[in-house]
């Protein structure tokens, strides 16, 4: 009986070590959230101001996350954002973008302010930060 308890205890320890190793640290979580927010901003700009609804940046981010972190954008939205629900995250990101666009005078004002360049720089930096993770 004592051996059984020791085996169970050892098994639980291995499982808890696996879970701890699989769980991302706070830096990884923050970088993933930042990257999703940055990709959403660029894609929303292109959809709203250029009529391009391809969501190319989000797709490229998803490919990077799957290949390097073994996680999807959808999982990031469900697990790392405070809302813990991808639909709520998507609604908030779109609502925040639309408010920013409105505050900058619509697409013409955003273009004049160089928002696309700012969004793109933020997106590229976020991708580089994910690539730099251990």
């Amino acid at each position: 009986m004592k051996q059984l308890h020791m085996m169970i205890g050892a098994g639980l320890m291995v499982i808890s070590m696996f879970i701890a190793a699989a769980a991302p640290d706070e830096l990884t979580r923050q970088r993933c959230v930042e990257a999703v927010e940055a990709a959403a901003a660029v894609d929303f700009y292109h959809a709203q101001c250029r009529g391009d609804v391809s969501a190319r940046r989000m797709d490229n981010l998803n490919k990077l996350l799957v290949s390097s972190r073994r996680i999807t954008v959808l999982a990031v939205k469900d697990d790392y954002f405070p809302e813990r629900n991808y639909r709520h995250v998507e609604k908030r990101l779109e609502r925040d973008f639309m408010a920013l666009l409105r505050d900058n005078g619509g697409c013409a004002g955003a273009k004049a302010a160089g928002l696309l360049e700012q969004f793109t720089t933020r997106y590229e930096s976020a991708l580089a930060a994910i690539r730099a993770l251990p």
Side-chain angles (χ1 to χ4, degrees):
M1 188 68 159
K2 188 174 182 180
Q3 273 185 319
L4 179 61
H5 286 291
M6 287 176 38
M7 288 173 44
I8 292 172
L12 290 174
M13 188 169 72
V14 169
I15 290 170
S16 65
M17 287 172 36
F18 175 75
I19 290 171
D25 62 2
E26 188 58 32
L27 177 63
T28 299
R29 294 169 71 92
Q30 289 174 352
R31 287 188 177 172
C32 289
V33 166
E34 172 63 26
V36 168
E37 290 174 341
V42 178
D43 284 343
F44 284 143
Y45 181 91
H46 282 279
Q48 189 67 30
C49 297
R50 294 188 173 175
D52 175 10
V53 293
S54 66
R56 186 175 69 185
R57 285 93 197 151
M58 199 65 76
D59 290 343
N60 290 341
L61 173 60
N62 196 57
K63 290 174 190 173
L64 174 63
L65 289 175
V66 167
S67 67
S68 67
R69 313 303 314 166
R70 306 294 186 256
I71 190 168
T72 64
V73 166
L74 187 62
V76 170
K77 290 176 181 178
D78 273 340
D79 298 337
Y80 299 174
F81 277 80
E83 291 91 343
R84 312 279 297 177
N85 181 296
Y86 78 94
R87 287 185 179 107
H88 295 153
V89 171
E90 289 171 2
K91 286 178 185 177
R92 179 181 56 84
L93 292 175
E94 185 173 12
R95 190 173 52 244
D96 291 351
F97 174 80
M98 294 307 289
L100 179 65
L101 192 61
R102 185 176 53 251
D103 292 347
N104 280 280
C107 291
K111 183 177 180 180
L115 284 186
L116 178 59
E117 292 78 14
Q118 293 173 30
F119 293 154
T120 302
T121 299
R122 179 179 168 209
Y123 169 72
E124 290 169 356
S125 295
L127 291 184
I130 287 176
R131 288 184 187 108
L133 287 169

